[in-house]
Amino acid sequence: MLSSLSRTRALLLSAVPVAALLAVAAFAPLPYVIARPGETADVLGEYQGSPVISITGAPVRPSTGALRMTTIVATGPSADVDLSDVSDSWFRDDRAVLPRDSVYPAGKSDDEVSEHNLKDMADSQHEATRAALGYLGEDPAKVKVTLRLGTIGGPSAGLLLSLGIVDKLEGNGSGGDLTGGRSIAGTGTIDAAGKVGSVGGVALKTQAAKRDGATVFLVPKAECSDARAGVSDGLRLIPVTTLKGTVESLRALEKGGDVPSC
């Protein structure tokens, strides 16, 4: 039988490797990324000194208000995220802890991921242009649209880019602005047929929109619950599924009509 002193010594000795393991776990890299609200950019204006949308081959109207695409910022695929980072971010409203594989392709370097995201943005710009010109009945062979968003990557600006093209060419269809003079933000992919697709990080994007003065946020309908989780008072959430439906909602909003809500 161990004496009281022997038992105490044995417990202390056994606690050493446990403490060591916990210390290692606290600083060991984990397969997560930490995301936070990123910048927003008004697609009706300029970004990094250049117009986001330039159009030739058709009359372009001046616009008021803003159409803000939203972004998130995440730690890179090779960044070390440890237990203390995760613990600190888990309980913060302005942070999200996401599995790395849900954000980045497995086995890709930072440079490869950046190249992939820029390709996604280029593809998104092409689809956004086709969707907008198709909706307006414009001939892509006669109307040329150039889109510039610097090094912002990913496909989630598609919907806002399409809306920006529509606003510059047609406005609300009655001589006014599609925005109604408001600062409108949103997110969503878009295909050439005008179908809006879901994106990630919606709760963080609503925070970026509110921070930068938006009063309305356009959100893919399937992600309404995520948008509600990140929104505070003063930001109206409008669910969208198509470019046509989004334009109709914005027209109704301007006229004080019925507008769907999350």
Side-chain angles (χ1 to χ4, degrees), residues 142-196:
K142 296 181 180 181
V143 179
K144 181 180 179 182
V145 178
T146 302
L147 303 174
R148 301 181 185 88
L149 275 169
T151 57
I152 294 178
S156 65
L159 171 63
L160 273 294
L161 290 171
S162 286
L163 290 171
I165 296 169
V166 171
D167 191 48
K168 284 183 173 291
L169 291 175
E170 186 183 70
N172 64 2
S174 303
D177 297 308
L178 190 58
T179 63
R182 297 176 176 84
S183 179
I184 295 173
T187 190
T189 65
I190 201 162
D191 64 19
K195 182 180 179 181
V196 177

mmCIF file of all heavy atoms in Angstrom, residues 142-196:
data_model
loop_
_atom_site.group_PDB
_atom_site.id
_atom_site.type_symbol
_atom_site.label_atom_id
_atom_site.label_comp_id
_atom_site.label_asym_id
_atom_site.label_seq_id
_atom_site.Cartn_x
_atom_site.Cartn_y
_atom_site.Cartn_z
ATOM 1 N N LYS A 142 -22.705 43.438 -79.660
ATOM 2 C CA LYS A 142 -22.708 44.898 -79.836
ATOM 3 C C LYS A 142 -22.435 45.659 -78.551
ATOM 4 O O LYS A 142 -21.978 46.807 -78.570
ATOM 5 C CB LYS A 142 -24.060 45.347 -80.402
ATOM 6 C CG LYS A 142 -24.335 44.803 -81.809
ATOM 7 C CD LYS A 142 -25.674 45.302 -82.323
ATOM 8 C CE LYS A 142 -25.948 44.763 -83.713
ATOM 9 N NZ LYS A 142 -27.229 45.234 -84.269
ATOM 10 N N VAL A 143 -22.758 45.042 -77.422
ATOM 11 C CA VAL A 143 -22.546 45.679 -76.115
ATOM 12 C C VAL A 143 -21.390 44.967 -75.413
ATOM 13 O O VAL A 143 -21.453 43.772 -75.141
ATOM 14 C CB VAL A 143 -23.815 45.609 -75.242
ATOM 15 C CG1 VAL A 143 -23.551 46.255 -73.884
ATOM 16 C CG2 VAL A 143 -24.986 46.274 -75.938
ATOM 17 N N LYS A 144 -20.327 45.724 -75.123
ATOM 18 C CA LYS A 144 -19.156 45.139 -74.458
ATOM 19 C C LYS A 144 -19.100 45.619 -73.017
ATOM 20 O O LYS A 144 -19.164 46.822 -72.743
ATOM 21 C CB LYS A 144 -17.867 45.535 -75.178
ATOM 22 C CG LYS A 144 -16.620 44.925 -74.529
ATOM 23 C CD LYS A 144 -15.351 45.332 -75.240
ATOM 24 C CE LYS A 144 -14.128 44.732 -74.560
ATOM 25 N NZ LYS A 144 -12.864 45.155 -75.206
ATOM 26 N N VAL A 145 -18.981 44.654 -72.110
ATOM 27 C CA VAL A 145 -18.903 44.955 -70.674
ATOM 28 C C VAL A 145 -17.535 44.524 -70.157
ATOM 29 O O VAL A 145 -17.113 43.385 -70.389
ATOM 30 C CB VAL A 145 -20.012 44.232 -69.890
ATOM 31 C CG1 VAL A 145 -19.876 44.533 -68.390
ATOM 32 C CG2 VAL A 145 -21.390 44.636 -70.391
ATOM 33 N N THR A 146 -16.861 45.429 -69.482
ATOM 34 C CA THR A 146 -15.586 45.112 -68.841
ATOM 35 C C THR A 146 -15.750 45.259 -67.339
ATOM 36 O O THR A 146 -16.263 46.282 -66.864
ATOM 37 C CB THR A 146 -14.462 46.051 -69.331
ATOM 38 O OG1 THR A 146 -14.345 45.941 -70.754
ATOM 39 C CG2 THR A 146 -13.136 45.684 -68.685
ATOM 40 N N LEU A 147 -15.335 44.241 -66.599
ATOM 41 C CA LEU A 147 -15.477 44.236 -65.145
ATOM 42 C C LEU A 147 -14.094 44.173 -64.511
ATOM 43 O O LEU A 147 -13.249 43.376 -64.911
ATOM 44 C CB LEU A 147 -16.322 43.037 -64.692
ATOM 45 C CG LEU A 147 -17.720 42.940 -65.313
ATOM 46 C CD1 LEU A 147 -18.394 41.634 -64.902
ATOM 47 C CD2 LEU A 147 -18.579 44.127 -64.894
ATOM 48 N N ARG A 148 -13.865 45.007 -63.494
ATOM 49 C CA ARG A 148 -12.570 45.053 -62.819
ATOM 50 C C ARG A 148 -12.778 45.039 -61.308
ATOM 51 O O ARG A 148 -13.408 45.943 -60.768
ATOM 52 C CB ARG A 148 -11.800 46.311 -63.203
ATOM 53 C CG ARG A 148 -11.510 46.470 -64.688
ATOM 54 C CD ARG A 148 -10.716 47.749 -64.927
ATOM 55 N NE ARG A 148 -10.509 48.036 -66.345
ATOM 56 C CZ ARG A 148 -11.367 48.734 -67.089
ATOM 57 N NH1 ARG A 148 -12.491 49.201 -66.548
ATOM 58 N NH2 ARG A 148 -11.118 48.958 -68.362
ATOM 59 N N LEU A 149 -12.240 44.016 -60.681
ATOM 60 C CA LEU A 149 -12.308 43.947 -59.219
ATOM 61 C C LEU A 149 -10.954 43.589 -58.615
ATOM 62 O O LEU A 149 -10.872 42.935 -57.575
ATOM 63 C CB LEU A 149 -13.371 42.935 -58.784
ATOM 64 C CG LEU A 149 -14.792 43.488 -58.702
ATOM 65 C CD1 LEU A 149 -15.802 42.373 -58.529
ATOM 66 C CD2 LEU A 149 -14.933 44.520 -57.597
ATOM 67 N N GLY A 150 -9.901 44.025 -59.285
ATOM 68 C CA GLY A 150 -8.565 43.828 -58.739
ATOM 69 C C GLY A 150 -8.267 42.378 -58.456
ATOM 70 O O GLY A 150 -8.483 41.498 -59.294
ATOM 71 N N THR A 151 -7.789 42.121 -57.247
ATOM 72 C CA THR A 151 -7.396 40.761 -56.869
ATOM 73 C C THR A 151 -8.455 40.052 -56.028
ATOM 74 O O THR A 151 -8.178 39.013 -55.440
ATOM 75 C CB THR A 151 -6.076 40.794 -56.076
ATOM 76 O OG1 THR A 151 -6.221 41.631 -54.921
ATOM 77 C CG2 THR A 151 -4.943 41.317 -56.939
ATOM 78 N N ILE A 152 -9.663 40.608 -55.956
ATOM 79 C CA ILE A 152 -10.734 39.919 -55.247
ATOM 80 C C ILE A 152 -11.070 38.636 -56.001
ATOM 81 O O ILE A 152 -11.283 38.648 -57.210
ATOM 82 C CB ILE A 152 -11.990 40.795 -55.128
ATOM 83 C CG1 ILE A 152 -11.708 42.008 -54.246
ATOM 84 C CG2 ILE A 152 -13.156 39.999 -54.536
ATOM 85 C CD1 ILE A 152 -12.869 42.967 -54.110
ATOM 86 N N GLY A 153 -11.092 37.516 -55.291
ATOM 87 C CA GLY A 153 -11.343 36.232 -55.936
ATOM 88 C C GLY A 153 -12.652 35.612 -55.515
ATOM 89 O O GLY A 153 -13.324 36.081 -54.598
ATOM 90 N N GLY A 154 -13.017 34.525 -56.203
ATOM 91 C CA GLY A 154 -14.228 33.793 -55.875
ATOM 92 C C GLY A 154 -15.413 34.213 -56.726
ATOM 93 O O GLY A 154 -15.393 35.262 -57.367
ATOM 94 N N PRO A 155 -16.477 33.395 -56.723
ATOM 95 C CA PRO A 155 -17.626 33.643 -57.594
ATOM 96 C C PRO A 155 -18.791 34.373 -56.959
ATOM 97 O O PRO A 155 -19.811 34.589 -57.603
ATOM 98 C CB PRO A 155 -18.045 32.212 -57.956
ATOM 99 C CG PRO A 155 -17.773 31.433 -56.693
ATOM 100 C CD PRO A 155 -16.538 32.060 -56.093
ATOM 101 N N SER A 156 -18.672 34.771 -55.687
ATOM 102 C CA SER A 156 -19.860 35.226 -54.957
ATOM 103 C C SER A 156 -20.324 36.636 -55.285
ATOM 104 O O SER A 156 -21.340 37.085 -54.775
ATOM 105 C CB SER A 156 -19.635 35.099 -53.447
ATOM 106 O OG SER A 156 -18.610 35.968 -53.018
ATOM 107 N N ALA A 157 -19.581 37.367 -56.153
ATOM 108 C CA ALA A 157 -20.014 38.714 -56.532
ATOM 109 C C ALA A 157 -20.908 38.702 -57.763
ATOM 110 O O ALA A 157 -21.363 39.759 -58.203
ATOM 111 C CB ALA A 157 -18.797 39.600 -56.797
ATOM 112 N N GLY A 158 -21.183 37.527 -58.316
ATOM 113 C CA GLY A 158 -21.910 37.433 -59.575
ATOM 114 C C GLY A 158 -23.229 38.180 -59.615
ATOM 115 O O GLY A 158 -23.500 38.943 -60.551
ATOM 116 N N LEU A 159 -24.069 37.976 -58.608
ATOM 117 C CA LEU A 159 -25.379 38.631 -58.578
ATOM 118 C C LEU A 159 -25.236 40.145 -58.579
ATOM 119 O O LEU A 159 -25.912 40.842 -59.345
ATOM 120 C CB LEU A 159 -26.172 38.185 -57.350
ATOM 121 C CG LEU A 159 -27.468 38.963 -57.085
ATOM 122 C CD1 LEU A 159 -28.452 38.778 -58.229
ATOM 123 C CD2 LEU A 159 -28.089 38.547 -55.759
ATOM 124 N N LEU A 160 -24.352 40.685 -57.723
ATOM 125 C CA LEU A 160 -24.205 42.141 -57.628
ATOM 126 C C LEU A 160 -23.650 42.726 -58.920
ATOM 127 O O LEU A 160 -24.048 43.830 -59.324
ATOM 128 C CB LEU A 160 -23.318 42.495 -56.437
ATOM 129 C CG LEU A 160 -24.009 42.654 -55.074
ATOM 130 C CD1 LEU A 160 -24.947 43.858 -55.100
ATOM 131 C CD2 LEU A 160 -24.783 41.412 -54.673
ATOM 132 N N LEU A 161 -22.763 42.019 -59.598
ATOM 133 C CA LEU A 161 -22.244 42.501 -60.868
ATOM 134 C C LEU A 161 -23.351 42.550 -61.921
ATOM 135 O O LEU A 161 -23.449 43.517 -62.687
ATOM 136 C CB LEU A 161 -21.093 41.611 -61.334
ATOM 137 C CG LEU A 161 -19.801 41.721 -60.508
ATOM 138 C CD1 LEU A 161 -18.815 40.630 -60.927
ATOM 139 C CD2 LEU A 161 -19.163 43.098 -60.642
ATOM 140 N N SER A 162 -24.183 41.534 -61.964
ATOM 141 C CA SER A 162 -25.314 41.540 -62.910
ATOM 142 C C SER A 162 -26.247 42.710 -62.625
ATOM 143 O O SER A 162 -26.688 43.412 -63.549
ATOM 144 C CB SER A 162 -26.090 40.220 -62.817
ATOM 145 O OG SER A 162 -25.385 39.161 -63.412
ATOM 146 N N LEU A 163 -26.548 42.943 -61.360
ATOM 147 C CA LEU A 163 -27.427 44.055 -60.997
ATOM 148 C C LEU A 163 -26.804 45.397 -61.378
ATOM 149 O O LEU A 163 -27.498 46.322 -61.809
ATOM 150 C CB LEU A 163 -27.717 44.022 -59.492
ATOM 151 C CG LEU A 163 -28.608 42.881 -58.993
ATOM 152 C CD1 LEU A 163 -28.622 42.867 -57.472
ATOM 153 C CD2 LEU A 163 -30.020 43.000 -59.547
ATOM 154 N N GLY A 164 -25.475 45.503 -61.213
ATOM 155 C CA GLY A 164 -24.803 46.733 -61.580
ATOM 156 C C GLY A 164 -24.918 47.019 -63.070
ATOM 157 O O GLY A 164 -25.138 48.171 -63.477
ATOM 158 N N ILE A 165 -24.777 45.985 -63.894
ATOM 159 C CA ILE A 165 -24.917 46.150 -65.346
ATOM 160 C C ILE A 165 -26.344 46.576 -65.685
ATOM 161 O O ILE A 165 -26.569 47.484 -66.493
ATOM 162 C CB ILE A 165 -24.547 44.835 -66.072
ATOM 163 C CG1 ILE A 165 -23.071 44.506 -65.842
ATOM 164 C CG2 ILE A 165 -24.836 44.947 -67.570
ATOM 165 C CD1 ILE A 165 -22.672 43.105 -66.277
ATOM 166 N N VAL A 166 -27.314 45.922 -65.063
ATOM 167 C CA VAL A 166 -28.721 46.270 -65.306
ATOM 168 C C VAL A 166 -28.982 47.722 -64.916
ATOM 169 O O VAL A 166 -29.637 48.475 -65.642
ATOM 170 C CB VAL A 166 -29.659 45.319 -64.529
ATOM 171 C CG1 VAL A 166 -31.104 45.809 -64.590
ATOM 172 C CG2 VAL A 166 -29.564 43.898 -65.082
ATOM 173 N N ASP A 167 -28.459 48.145 -63.765
ATOM 174 C CA ASP A 167 -28.702 49.515 -63.312
ATOM 175 C C ASP A 167 -28.078 50.535 -64.250
ATOM 176 O O ASP A 167 -28.679 51.572 -64.542
ATOM 177 C CB ASP A 167 -28.152 49.695 -61.898
ATOM 178 C CG ASP A 167 -28.615 51.001 -61.267
ATOM 179 O OD1 ASP A 167 -29.821 51.285 -61.327
ATOM 180 O OD2 ASP A 167 -27.761 51.742 -60.744
ATOM 181 N N LYS A 168 -26.888 50.260 -64.737
ATOM 182 C CA LYS A 168 -26.215 51.205 -65.622
ATOM 183 C C LYS A 168 -26.883 51.306 -66.993
ATOM 184 O O LYS A 168 -26.844 52.357 -67.637
ATOM 185 C CB LYS A 168 -24.741 50.822 -65.773
ATOM 186 C CG LYS A 168 -23.896 51.189 -64.556
ATOM 187 C CD LYS A 168 -22.447 50.861 -64.768
ATOM 188 C CE LYS A 168 -21.600 51.379 -63.614
ATOM 189 N NZ LYS A 168 -21.526 52.861 -63.565
ATOM 190 N N LEU A 169 -27.517 50.230 -67.432
ATOM 191 C CA LEU A 169 -28.148 50.246 -68.749
ATOM 192 C C LEU A 169 -29.635 50.589 -68.705
ATOM 193 O O LEU A 169 -30.150 51.253 -69.607
ATOM 194 C CB LEU A 169 -27.958 48.886 -69.439
ATOM 195 C CG LEU A 169 -26.529 48.552 -69.875
ATOM 196 C CD1 LEU A 169 -26.464 47.135 -70.436
ATOM 197 C CD2 LEU A 169 -26.025 49.550 -70.907
ATOM 198 N N GLU A 170 -30.326 50.148 -67.669
ATOM 199 C CA GLU A 170 -31.783 50.314 -67.640
ATOM 200 C C GLU A 170 -32.308 50.981 -66.385
ATOM 201 O O GLU A 170 -33.414 51.525 -66.373
ATOM 202 C CB GLU A 170 -32.455 48.944 -67.817
ATOM 203 C CG GLU A 170 -33.959 49.011 -67.937
ATOM 204 C CD GLU A 170 -34.601 47.630 -68.046
ATOM 205 O OE1 GLU A 170 -34.604 46.890 -67.037
ATOM 206 O OE2 GLU A 170 -35.101 47.305 -69.144
ATOM 207 N N GLY A 171 -31.545 50.951 -65.305
ATOM 208 C CA GLY A 171 -32.059 51.458 -64.038
ATOM 209 C C GLY A 171 -33.242 50.619 -63.586
ATOM 210 O O GLY A 171 -33.243 49.391 -63.705
ATOM 211 N N ASN A 172 -34.271 51.275 -63.096
ATOM 212 C CA ASN A 172 -35.462 50.536 -62.660
ATOM 213 C C ASN A 172 -36.473 50.348 -63.794
ATOM 214 O O ASN A 172 -37.583 49.873 -63.570
ATOM 215 C CB ASN A 172 -36.136 51.235 -61.471
ATOM 216 C CG ASN A 172 -36.670 52.620 -61.834
ATOM 217 O OD1 ASN A 172 -36.582 53.065 -62.985
ATOM 218 N ND2 ASN A 172 -37.217 53.309 -60.847
ATOM 219 N N GLY A 173 -36.085 50.754 -65.007
ATOM 220 C CA GLY A 173 -36.974 50.603 -66.159
ATOM 221 C C GLY A 173 -37.948 51.739 -66.332
ATOM 222 O O GLY A 173 -38.678 51.793 -67.317
ATOM 223 N N SER A 174 -37.970 52.682 -65.360
ATOM 224 C CA SER A 174 -38.906 53.820 -65.426
ATOM 225 C C SER A 174 -38.192 55.155 -65.269
ATOM 226 O O SER A 174 -38.791 56.140 -64.832
ATOM 227 C CB SER A 174 -39.973 53.670 -64.329
ATOM 228 O OG SER A 174 -40.660 52.449 -64.454
ATOM 229 N N GLY A 175 -36.906 55.164 -65.567
ATOM 230 C CA GLY A 175 -36.151 56.403 -65.476
ATOM 231 C C GLY A 175 -35.429 56.625 -64.171
ATOM 232 O O GLY A 175 -34.682 57.593 -64.025
ATOM 233 N N GLY A 176 -35.644 55.748 -63.202
ATOM 234 C CA GLY A 176 -34.992 55.891 -61.904
ATOM 235 C C GLY A 176 -33.911 54.851 -61.691
ATOM 236 O O GLY A 176 -33.626 54.018 -62.560
ATOM 237 N N ASP A 177 -33.319 54.908 -60.511
ATOM 238 C CA ASP A 177 -32.245 53.964 -60.166
ATOM 239 C C ASP A 177 -32.812 52.666 -59.631
ATOM 240 O O ASP A 177 -33.803 52.659 -58.892
ATOM 241 C CB ASP A 177 -31.328 54.573 -59.103
ATOM 242 C CG ASP A 177 -30.623 55.814 -59.603
ATOM 243 O OD1 ASP A 177 -30.013 55.737 -60.681
ATOM 244 O OD2 ASP A 177 -30.704 56.846 -58.915
ATOM 245 N N LEU A 178 -32.136 51.573 -59.949
ATOM 246 C CA LEU A 178 -32.537 50.272 -59.409
ATOM 247 C C LEU A 178 -32.374 50.245 -57.897
ATOM 248 O O LEU A 178 -33.120 49.575 -57.192
ATOM 249 C CB LEU A 178 -31.690 49.171 -60.059
ATOM 250 C CG LEU A 178 -32.104 47.722 -59.822
ATOM 251 C CD1 LEU A 178 -33.527 47.476 -60.304
ATOM 252 C CD2 LEU A 178 -31.137 46.781 -60.536
ATOM 253 N N THR A 179 -31.424 51.004 -57.394
ATOM 254 C CA THR A 179 -31.182 51.043 -55.946
ATOM 255 C C THR A 179 -32.190 51.910 -55.210
ATOM 256 O O THR A 179 -32.297 51.821 -53.983
ATOM 257 C CB THR A 179 -29.789 51.610 -55.652
ATOM 258 O OG1 THR A 179 -29.744 52.966 -56.121
ATOM 259 C CG2 THR A 179 -28.704 50.793 -56.316
ATOM 260 N N GLY A 180 -32.892 52.791 -55.934
ATOM 261 C CA GLY A 180 -33.752 53.755 -55.266
ATOM 262 C C GLY A 180 -32.965 54.731 -54.416
ATOM 263 O O GLY A 180 -33.503 55.330 -53.480
ATOM 264 N N GLY A 181 -31.659 54.895 -54.719
ATOM 265 C CA GLY A 181 -30.805 55.786 -53.945
ATOM 266 C C GLY A 181 -30.270 55.170 -52.668
ATOM 267 O O GLY A 181 -29.538 55.820 -51.930
ATOM 268 N N ARG A 182 -30.630 53.921 -52.398
ATOM 269 C CA ARG A 182 -30.181 53.254 -51.170
ATOM 270 C C ARG A 182 -28.784 52.657 -51.344
ATOM 271 O O ARG A 182 -28.297 52.482 -52.453
ATOM 272 C CB ARG A 182 -31.138 52.121 -50.799
ATOM 273 C CG ARG A 182 -32.552 52.539 -50.468
ATOM 274 C CD ARG A 182 -33.402 51.288 -50.212
ATOM 275 N NE ARG A 182 -34.754 51.622 -49.796
ATOM 276 C CZ ARG A 182 -35.745 51.901 -50.639
ATOM 277 N NH1 ARG A 182 -35.517 51.877 -51.956
ATOM 278 N NH2 ARG A 182 -36.952 52.186 -50.191
ATOM 279 N N SER A 183 -28.191 52.300 -50.213
ATOM 280 C CA SER A 183 -26.970 51.495 -50.221
ATOM 281 C C SER A 183 -27.397 50.051 -50.003
ATOM 282 O O SER A 183 -27.816 49.664 -48.910
ATOM 283 C CB SER A 183 -26.007 51.936 -49.117
ATOM 284 O OG SER A 183 -24.840 51.132 -49.133
ATOM 285 N N ILE A 184 -27.317 49.276 -51.070
ATOM 286 C CA ILE A 184 -27.780 47.895 -51.054
ATOM 287 C C ILE A 184 -26.576 46.967 -51.176
ATOM 288 O O ILE A 184 -25.719 47.166 -52.040
ATOM 289 C CB ILE A 184 -28.770 47.641 -52.207
ATOM 290 C CG1 ILE A 184 -30.041 48.471 -51.985
ATOM 291 C CG2 ILE A 184 -29.112 46.160 -52.335
ATOM 292 C CD1 ILE A 184 -31.011 48.429 -53.131
ATOM 293 N N ALA A 185 -26.497 45.984 -50.308
ATOM 294 C CA ALA A 185 -25.405 45.012 -50.348
ATOM 295 C C ALA A 185 -25.980 43.625 -50.606
ATOM 296 O O ALA A 185 -27.201 43.431 -50.594
ATOM 297 C CB ALA A 185 -24.617 45.030 -49.041
ATOM 298 N N GLY A 186 -25.109 42.688 -50.847
ATOM 299 C CA GLY A 186 -25.597 41.334 -51.059
ATOM 300 C C GLY A 186 -24.497 40.388 -51.474
ATOM 301 O O GLY A 186 -23.316 40.742 -51.545
ATOM 302 N N THR A 187 -24.899 39.173 -51.764
ATOM 303 C CA THR A 187 -23.970 38.134 -52.193
ATOM 304 C C THR A 187 -24.746 37.086 -52.972
ATOM 305 O O THR A 187 -25.976 37.017 -52.886
ATOM 306 C CB THR A 187 -23.258 37.504 -50.976
ATOM 307 O OG1 THR A 187 -22.202 36.659 -51.419
ATOM 308 C CG2 THR A 187 -24.221 36.702 -50.111
ATOM 309 N N GLY A 188 -24.039 36.265 -53.706
ATOM 310 C CA GLY A 188 -24.690 35.200 -54.471
ATOM 311 C C GLY A 188 -23.994 34.970 -55.798
ATOM 312 O O GLY A 188 -23.613 35.931 -56.468
ATOM 313 N N THR A 189 -23.796 33.725 -56.143
ATOM 314 C CA THR A 189 -23.287 33.408 -57.474
ATOM 315 C C THR A 189 -24.416 33.579 -58.480
ATOM 316 O O THR A 189 -25.586 33.726 -58.105
ATOM 317 C CB THR A 189 -22.778 31.962 -57.533
ATOM 318 O OG1 THR A 189 -23.894 31.060 -57.328
ATOM 319 C CG2 THR A 189 -21.733 31.688 -56.463
ATOM 320 N N ILE A 190 -24.076 33.571 -59.751
ATOM 321 C CA ILE A 190 -25.106 33.634 -60.779
ATOM 322 C C ILE A 190 -24.622 32.878 -62.004
ATOM 323 O O ILE A 190 -23.415 32.850 -62.292
ATOM 324 C CB ILE A 190 -25.450 35.098 -61.138
ATOM 325 C CG1 ILE A 190 -26.828 35.178 -61.801
ATOM 326 C CG2 ILE A 190 -24.387 35.726 -62.016
ATOM 327 C CD1 ILE A 190 -27.434 36.554 -61.792
ATOM 328 N N ASP A 191 -25.573 32.222 -62.705
ATOM 329 C CA ASP A 191 -25.208 31.581 -63.959
ATOM 330 C C ASP A 191 -25.771 32.379 -65.122
ATOM 331 O O ASP A 191 -26.483 33.375 -64.925
ATOM 332 C CB ASP A 191 -25.654 30.112 -63.996
ATOM 333 C CG ASP A 191 -27.167 29.933 -63.944
ATOM 334 O OD1 ASP A 191 -27.919 30.897 -64.239
ATOM 335 O OD2 ASP A 191 -27.621 28.813 -63.628
ATOM 336 N N ALA A 192 -25.455 31.960 -66.329
ATOM 337 C CA ALA A 192 -25.833 32.724 -67.516
ATOM 338 C C ALA A 192 -27.340 32.846 -67.674
ATOM 339 O O ALA A 192 -27.833 33.788 -68.289
ATOM 340 C CB ALA A 192 -25.230 32.086 -68.765
ATOM 341 N N ALA A 193 -28.087 31.891 -67.091
ATOM 342 C CA ALA A 193 -29.540 31.936 -67.165
ATOM 343 C C ALA A 193 -30.155 32.828 -66.100
ATOM 344 O O ALA A 193 -31.370 33.017 -66.061
ATOM 345 C CB ALA A 193 -30.113 30.521 -67.041
ATOM 346 N N GLY A 194 -29.317 33.386 -65.221
ATOM 347 C CA GLY A 194 -29.819 34.289 -64.183
ATOM 348 C C GLY A 194 -30.207 33.618 -62.888
ATOM 349 O O GLY A 194 -30.822 34.248 -62.020
ATOM 350 N N LYS A 195 -29.815 32.367 -62.689
ATOM 351 C CA LYS A 195 -30.127 31.667 -61.448
ATOM 352 C C LYS A 195 -29.098 32.005 -60.380
ATOM 353 O O LYS A 195 -27.890 31.929 -60.619
ATOM 354 C CB LYS A 195 -30.153 30.156 -61.677
ATOM 355 C CG LYS A 195 -30.511 29.360 -60.429
ATOM 356 C CD LYS A 195 -30.525 27.868 -60.719
ATOM 357 C CE LYS A 195 -30.850 27.070 -59.454
ATOM 358 N NZ LYS A 195 -30.852 25.606 -59.722
ATOM 359 N N VAL A 196 -29.575 32.379 -59.196
ATOM 360 C CA VAL A 196 -28.700 32.755 -58.087
ATOM 361 C C VAL A 196 -28.345 31.521 -57.268
ATOM 362 O O VAL A 196 -29.213 30.713 -56.931
ATOM 363 C CB VAL A 196 -29.380 33.802 -57.183
ATOM 364 C CG1 VAL A 196 -28.491 34.134 -55.987
ATOM 365 C CG2 VAL A 196 -29.685 35.068 -57.978
#
